Amino acid sequence: MNEFFTLTQIDQIATLIRARSSAQPKVVIILGSGLGALAEAVEGATLIPYQELPYWPVSTVQGHQGRLVLGQLEGKDVMIMQGRAHYYEGYSIAQIGLPVRVSQRLGAGTLIVTNAAGAVNPDFTPGDLMLITDHLNLIGMAGLNPLRGPNLDPLGPRFPDMSQAYDREIGDLARRIAKEKGIKLQEGVYACLAGPSFETPADLRFLHGIGVDAVGMSTVPEVTVARHGGQRALGISGISNKANLDGNTVTTHEEVLEAGEIIVPKLASLIREVLQQLPSD
Ligand code: HPA
């Protein structure tokens, strides 16, 4: 397992992708659990199974297709990750951040990241979308930061600023579009736990107490790498279940995938319009 990656390794993957597709992705989109359908709409699509790319973390979880889709969506060149790998699958935390680093070498200036998340905020209902306004890097605080190891200076600084992890301008755009389309868009703080076990009621009371609105097992490493490399980030959680604050609710992966079916059409419509109106960088 690679603890760190060199620029040469990252560029090796970027070169392989360039040899397969002429798309010049300006936007990289990561589609989380049960949310892969948006990739079907890509025009002139080149599909690259993750297994064909060296070092690339392959998703082993049901609901994650595990391939890169390059092409055009809403007139923009995009690179879509249809499914992602998680730390709990056994990869190093650096490996979870690797695809975002590759997207930076391919020229993508914006990351749009989605996930399935549990509602910690009692006002949220399964099926809701949540604009991530900030995150709580719990796994990073515990040492699992994808930037650990030698800094890659050509990509970004040793100590990157995280005061605006989620881009305010793109967040405002998402809010406006959701309003115009009549899509309810909750907002809040997302916390990333390592997983794969879901939270105990005590975990959830703790998260609630420290200001978390939604909890999941992804996104934060990718956004950390994105900000290191100067990418702007938009994060949207699909709320798939009520968190088990009272100890009387059981959370299952099936439930997460089922909620995806309600979430996908709203999420796809929102992301497509954001793409269309995205300011060019
Ligand atoms: N907890 C953690 N991760 C999740 C959840 C949850 O309740 N739902 C979807 N991903």
Side-chain angles (χ1 to χ4, degrees):
M1 184 160 63
N2 293 62
E3 282 296 332
F4 318 119
F5 294 90
T6 62
L7 209 51
T8 308
Q9 289 171 315
I10 296 167
D11 283 342
Q12 185 191 345
I13 306 173
T15 303
L16 278 172
I17 294 173
R18 273 198 210 96
R20 300 271 291 264
S21 167
S22 59
Q24 310 255 320
K26 292 283 167 253
V27 183
V28 54
I29 305 175
I30 304 178
L31 299 175
S33 298
L35 307 177
L38 180 64
E40 316 292 342
V42 171
E43 289 160 32
T46 300
L47 309 177
I48 309 180
Y50 293 159
Q51 291 89 335
E52 296 176 13
L53 296 170
Y55 320 115
W56 198 279
V58 177
S59 23
T60 59
V61 185
Q62 192 203 348
H64 287 259
Q65 284 89 344
R67 61 189 184 187
L68 267 190
V69 181
L70 290 114
Q72 286 80 42
L73 194 57
E74 301 298 332
K76 298 250 173 12
D77 278 21
V78 294
M79 168 173 131
I80 299 191
M81 287 176 63
Q82 202 177 20
R84 65 142 72 76
H86 307 80
Y87 178 71
Y88 63 75
E89 292 173 71
Y91 300 105
S92 71
I93 196 71
Q95 213 168 350
I96 301 304
L98 177 68
V100 176
R101 289 199 142 158
V102 171
S103 80
Q104 289 164 1
R105 299 303 274 177
L106 291 171
T110 302
L111 166 70
I112 299 179
V113 59
T114 67
N115 58 54
V120 178
N121 186 324
D123 296 339
F124 294 178
T125 308
D128 282 353
L129 299 184
M130 183 189 89
L131 175 70
I132 305 177
T133 52
D134 203 352
H135 69 220
L136 194 62
N137 189 0
L138 282 174
I139 64 170
M141 289 179 198
L144 295 176
N145 191 305
L147 304 178
R148 180 172 171 271
N151 187 54
L152 298 179
D153 294 333
L155 294 181
R158 170 78 287 185
F159 300 108
D161 174 61
M162 290 296 286
S163 63
Q164 286 184 42
Y166 298 85
D167 190 86
R168 289 188 187 160
E169 190 187 356
I170 304 177
D172 282 345
L173 179 63
R175 281 190 191 98
R176 180 167 58 71
I177 290 168
K179 199 164 176 206
E180 281 165 11
K181 288 182 171 289
I183 297 171
K184 180 161 85 170
L185 185 61
Q186 308 276 19
E187 12 193 295
V189 173
Y190 173 89
C192 173
L193 272 55
S197 46
F198 288 119
E199 301 72 38
T200 65
D203 288 332
L204 289 161
R205 286 194 297 272
F206 165 73
L207 293 173
H208 188 242
I210 59 174
V212 171
D213 295 290
V215 59
M217 305 172 191
S218 68
T219 301
V220 170
E222 292 111 315
V223 169
T224 304
V225 169
R227 293 304 297 141
H228 174 259
Q231 287 173 316
R232 305 169 81 185
L234 170 70
I236 312 255
S237 291
I239 301 298
S240 54
N241 54 287
K242 281 268 187 204
N244 180 17
L245 281 158
D246 56 7
N248 297 323
T249 327
V250 174
T251 303
T252 64
H253 188 54
E254 286 66 38
E255 185 183 11
V256 173
L257 296 182
E258 265 171 45
E261 288 171 25
I262 305 169
I263 290 164
V264 157
K266 296 192 281 186
L267 189 67
S269 157
L270 180 62
I271 290 182
R272 290 182 75 148
E273 193 61 31
V274 167
L275 269 181
Q276 203 173 89
Q277 298 190 34
L278 200 62
S280 41
D281 45 40

